[in-house]
């Protein structure tokens, strides 16, 4: 995969910009990255606003969808692993970093980064935001920046490392399927048996984490022993 990184000083949303190029029939090769210094209409999962800050990473990339690829939703786990690997080597205490279903990266159990996966025709767009230098205040959520653990990484150097790591993880995903990705994700995530609360729309379901299904769904073991597959929702760690 050839990596091409384009940087702009300001835009509304890097995901929206790449989607517009695709919709207008433009050629957006796999490995294209669009990174911005400032994002005025950044989006997170379920339509939430993603708040940025100077020195943080905000960018999106394109992945071509091939007929033989594993299920497209599992790309969010691929992206989470790439981000995890890019960050963990910058920490003196790697145990401070963990993954939370479906694609959050947590530092000291506070949100460090978020990932948004969207499909547009024969492409998937992966948007990634990482608190490198500062953690914007988010009501009702604990957030943290990588700068809390030492000097903030330089944004462009971080972008180069992340782009290379994601290309490696996508190649592995295509070659070996989702199972090895899932196993590595589980090794870096909350533990099987851990108590979770899942916010689904207006309701909350509690249970214990019982792994991830082949399509990436969270397996939640309920009090009666039944397993419920969760495909969309916000997970809160109880411990």
């Amino acid at each position: 995969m050839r990596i091409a990184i384009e940087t702009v000083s300001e835009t509304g949303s890097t995901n929206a910009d790449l989607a517009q190029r695709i919709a207008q029939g433009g050629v957006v090769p796999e490995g294209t990255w669009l990174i911005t210094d400032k994002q005025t209409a950044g989006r997170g999962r379920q339509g939430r606003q993603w708040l940025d800050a100077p020195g943080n990473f905000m960018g999106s990339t394109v992945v071509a969808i091939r007929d033989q690829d594993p299920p497209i939703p599992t790309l969010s786990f691929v992206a989470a692993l790439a981000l995890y690997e890019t960050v963990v080597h910058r920490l003196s205490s790697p145990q401070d970093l963990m993954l939370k279903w479906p694609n959050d990266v947590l530092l000291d159990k506070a949100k460090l980064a978020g990932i948004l996966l969207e499909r547009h025709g024969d492409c998937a767009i992966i948007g990634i935001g990482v608190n490198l230098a500062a953690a914007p205040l988010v009501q009702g959520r604990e957030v943290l920046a990588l700068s809390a653990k030492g000097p903030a990484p330089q944004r462009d150097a971080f972008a180069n490392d992340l782009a290379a790591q994601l290309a490696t993880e996508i190649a592995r995903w295509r070659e070996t399927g989702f199972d090895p990705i899932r196993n590595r994700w589980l090794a870096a995530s909350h533990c099987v048996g851990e108590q979770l609360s899942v916010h689904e729309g207006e309701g909350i379901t509690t249970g214990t984490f019982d792994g991830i299904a082949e399509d990436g769904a969270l397996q939640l073991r309920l009090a009666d022993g039944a397993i419920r597959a969760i495909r969309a929702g916000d997970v809160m760690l109880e411990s």
Side-chain angles (χ1 to χ4, degrees), residues 3 7 33 49 70 90 92 94 100 102-103 114 131 143 190 209 239:
I3 297 171
T7 302
W33 281 84
Q49 182 182 13
R90 290 175 159 86
S92 58
K100 180 170 75 70
N103 50 28
N131 297 330
V143 293
H190 35 86
F209 180 56
S239 58

Side-chain angles (χ1 to χ4, degrees), residues 90-169:
R90 290 175 159 86
L91 295 173
S92 58
S93 300
Q95 65 272 17
D96 295 340
L97 192 69
M98 69 175 291
L99 299 175
K100 180 170 75 70
W101 188 91
N103 50 28
D104 283 341
V105 181
L106 305 184
L107 184 60
D108 287 346
K109 295 193 175 181
K111 187 159 183 169
L112 173 71
I115 296 167
L116 177 65
L117 177 67
E118 298 179 312
R119 181 165 182 168
H120 294 273
D122 294 331
C123 296
I125 298 177
I126 303 174
I128 299 177
V130 190
N131 297 330
L132 298 179
L137 294 176
V138 179
Q139 186 174 3
R141 289 178 178 264
E142 290 188 54
V143 293
L144 199 65
L146 203 50
S147 59
K149 297 293 183 177
Q154 198 273 339
R155 197 277 310 275
D156 290 346
F158 184 88
N160 288 331
D161 290 349
L162 177 58
Q165 188 65 46
L166 182 60
T168 296
E169 300 295 353

Side-chain angles (χ1 to χ4, degrees), residues 46-223:
Q46 301 184 354
R48 295 191 184 92
Q49 182 182 13
W50 179 266
L51 302 175
D52 64 20
N56 286 352
F57 176 87
M58 295 150 287
S60 302
T61 189
V62 173
V63 180
I65 297 174
R66 305 174 184 176
D67 291 340
Q68 66 273 28
D69 282 344
I72 299 308
T74 63
L75 262 177
S76 64
F77 297 88
V78 176
L81 268 179
L83 187 49
Y84 178 90
E85 295 292 351
T86 304
V87 171
V88 74
H89 300 298
R90 290 175 159 86
L91 295 173
S92 58
S93 300
Q95 65 272 17
D96 295 340
L97 192 69
M98 69 175 291
L99 299 175
K100 180 170 75 70
W101 188 91
N103 50 28
D104 283 341
V105 181
L106 305 184
L107 184 60
D108 287 346
K109 295 193 175 181
K111 187 159 183 169
L112 173 71
I115 296 167
L116 177 65
L117 177 67
E118 298 179 312
R119 181 165 182 168
H120 294 273
D122 294 331
C123 296
I125 298 177
I126 303 174
I128 299 177
V130 190
N131 297 330
L132 298 179
L137 294 176
V138 179
Q139 186 174 3
R141 289 178 178 264
E142 290 188 54
V143 293
L144 199 65
L146 203 50
S147 59
K149 297 293 183 177
Q154 198 273 339
R155 197 277 310 275
D156 290 346
F158 184 88
N160 288 331
D161 290 349
L162 177 58
Q165 188 65 46
L166 182 60
T168 296
E169 300 295 353
I170 289 172
R172 290 170 176 164
W173 174 73
R174 286 183 169 140
E175 181 178 351
T176 64
F178 180 49
D179 276 352
I181 296 289
R182 175 171 56 182
N183 292 337
R184 288 173 56 215
W185 188 96
L186 287 168
S189 77
H190 35 86
C191 299
V192 170
E194 185 164 355
Q195 191 79 21
L196 303 177
S197 293
V198 183
H199 295 241
E200 301 176 276
E202 299 299 321
I204 299 176
T205 305
T206 60
T208 56
F209 180 56
D210 202 63
I212 299 171
E214 292 181 357
D215 63 353
L218 181 147
Q219 304 270 56
L220 189 69
R221 184 175 294 275
L222 306 179

